[in-house]
Amino acid sequence: LEALHLPAQPSFEGTSLMKFNEISATPAHAVYSERVYARDEFAWAALRALRIGQWKFIDAPRAELYDLEKDPRELTNILRANSAEATTLRAELSKLLTRYDPSGKPAKLDTSNGTRKAMESLGYLSGTQRGNPASEGPDPKDRIAEYQLFEKSLDAFYAHRLDAAIAGLRRVLAQDPGNLPAARALAEMR
């Protein structure tokens, strides 16, 4: 908004970065990020991160901590050697998630047997329910090879190499029978 010379609304939170010439000149403020694609598509854990100053904490089934001044490419997880910093960042992340929890009061659901049967007949209740905590589901770090094989199989399909695509998706499903994207893609190829 500052770049467009527009006033910010009083309800907006945040600080314009226009007054800083370099990233290193910015004050140490919290920067939140999340990756929920793996949770939403594959039922793997969501990844949530908080960066404050030189520190970046990633909340995952196997949490990670990086000192970005010494390790800007995030190659060495230093969580065990810096457990106090990780605990502080985890607590800050938890406060942030609590403060901005979008769920509010959940709507009252019609859980009658008739409604449930109707929803099941339409295919709406055939999948698994997924929650938000990062601890739910496998750590995406542990599924990189599976994801790469899934993507390679899709590439083979788009390149009209159907046999390779089907073989790859079958290997993905042999590793993880619950991989719904792979099962859907395989069903579409048959």
Side-chain angles (χ1 to χ4, degrees), residues 7-185:
Q9 299 297 315
S11 62
F12 288 3
E13 291 190 35
T15 303
S16 171
L17 299 178
M18 292 293 293
K19 57 187 133 219
F20 301 107
N21 292 329
E22 298 177 4
I23 297 280
S24 61
T26 62
H29 61 280
V31 177
Y32 170 78
S33 59
E34 68 180 359
R35 176 82 174 170
V36 295
Y37 172 74
R39 180 199 67 198
D40 293 347
E41 283 299 307
F42 299 97
W44 302 341
L47 300 177
R48 292 182 172 83
L50 186 68
R51 178 181 176 178
I52 300 177
Q54 74 192 59
W55 300 103
K56 181 176 180 182
F57 173 76
I58 301 172
D59 190 25
R62 285 190 339 276
E64 302 168 53
L65 179 69
Y66 299 98
D67 181 339
L68 298 177
E69 284 182 4
K70 296 176 183 172
D71 183 14
R73 295 179 58 210
E74 301 175 24
L75 299 175
T76 305
N77 182 359
I78 57 170
L79 186 126
R80 287 189 179 163
N82 296 278
S83 60
E85 191 65 43
T87 300
T88 299
L89 288 168
R90 179 179 274 127
E92 288 298 316
L93 178 60
S94 180
K95 281 195 275 187
L96 185 72
L97 292 172
T98 300
R99 181 177 177 192
Y100 294 104
D101 180 14
S103 63
K105 186 176 179 182
K108 185 170 175 16
L109 299 175
D110 178 358
T111 56
S112 67
N113 204 23
T115 300
R116 182 171 210 39
K117 286 182 180 179
M119 297 295 278
E120 284 175 349
S121 73
L122 295 171
Y124 287 113
L125 300 180
S126 61
T128 60
Q129 291 184 337
R130 298 179 198 130
N132 288 334
S135 61
E136 289 187 17
D139 195 319
K141 294 184 292 287
D142 298 332
R143 300 297 180 101
I144 291 173
E146 178 182 333
Y147 180 76
Q148 288 172 335
L149 180 55
F150 173 72
E151 287 291 312
K152 186 177 177 181
S153 300
L154 292 181
D155 288 344
F157 173 71
Y158 297 133
H160 305 289
R161 294 178 304 152
L162 195 56
D163 290 341
I166 290 172
L169 290 171
R170 285 183 177 155
R171 288 195 344 248
V172 168
L173 290 169
Q175 293 174 21
D176 179 10
N179 187 316
L180 295 179
R184 280 192 306 261

